[in-house]
Amino acid sequence: MKIVLLGYMGSGKSTVAKALSVRLNLPYRDLDQEIEKFLGASVAEIFNQKGEIFYRKTESKFLHELLEYKEDFVLSLGGGTPCYGMNMKFIEQTEGVRSVYLKANVAELTSRLIKGQDQRPLIAGRSEEDLMEFIGKHLFERMPFYERANHLVLISGKSVEQLVEEITALF
Ligand code: S3P
């Protein structure tokens, strides 16, 4: 089985996916990292130099390639991956893929994302107040995509270990 973790930026997808892969003894893959490795540039550089549309097309292409692999793995998506093109439909329709939405509230996401904004081009340079308003609206738009995941896990107040146990029990 391929397990796909999705959710807003700052919801802990990469950290939880890495720990889950160790627990399940499966390889760990990270969609953003695959793109960065292939293009030899960070996500922020790709956005700045080639633009978001180029990034979204690349993201979709890599998602398709990864999910078509024979091997199983735990995959962490970028926060926007389920919301562009037909990506969520592809995730839903690919055999052997189970998706998990790591759900966090706006206040939590804001406090996690206020640090390290520079690596995330969509939120770079925003004040805390502005960031909270942006996340509130953005999450509202994205929620219908995230909620199509096979499972929803609330992350609030839980350690990585607790989340790994909770997700493991789903399968
Ligand atoms: C994005 C989230 C980022 C990265 C890019 C766009 C988004 O991934 O893919 O900056 O649209 O939410 P993380 O969710 O890992 O930060």
Side-chain angles (χ1 to χ4, degrees), residues 9 13 32 43 47 55-56 59 78-80 120-122 142:
M9 292 176 266
K13 299 179 294 293
D32 280 339
V43 171
F47 264 68
Y55 182 78
R56 297 301 174 195
E59 179 179 48
R120 291 184 161 107
L122 294 178
R142 288 181 166 191

Side-chain angles (χ1 to χ4, degrees), residues 7-10 13-14 30 32 43-44 47 52 55-56 59 76-81 84 113 119-122 138 142 146:
Y8 200 73
M9 292 176 266
K13 299 179 294 293
S14 303
D30 180 300
D32 280 339
V43 171
F47 264 68
E52 183 172 354
Y55 182 78
R56 297 301 174 195
E59 179 179 48
S76 118
L77 301 183
T81 316
Y84 290 89
L113 288 169
Q119 282 112 57
R120 291 184 161 107
L122 294 178
H138 206 201
R142 288 181 166 191
Y146 294 155

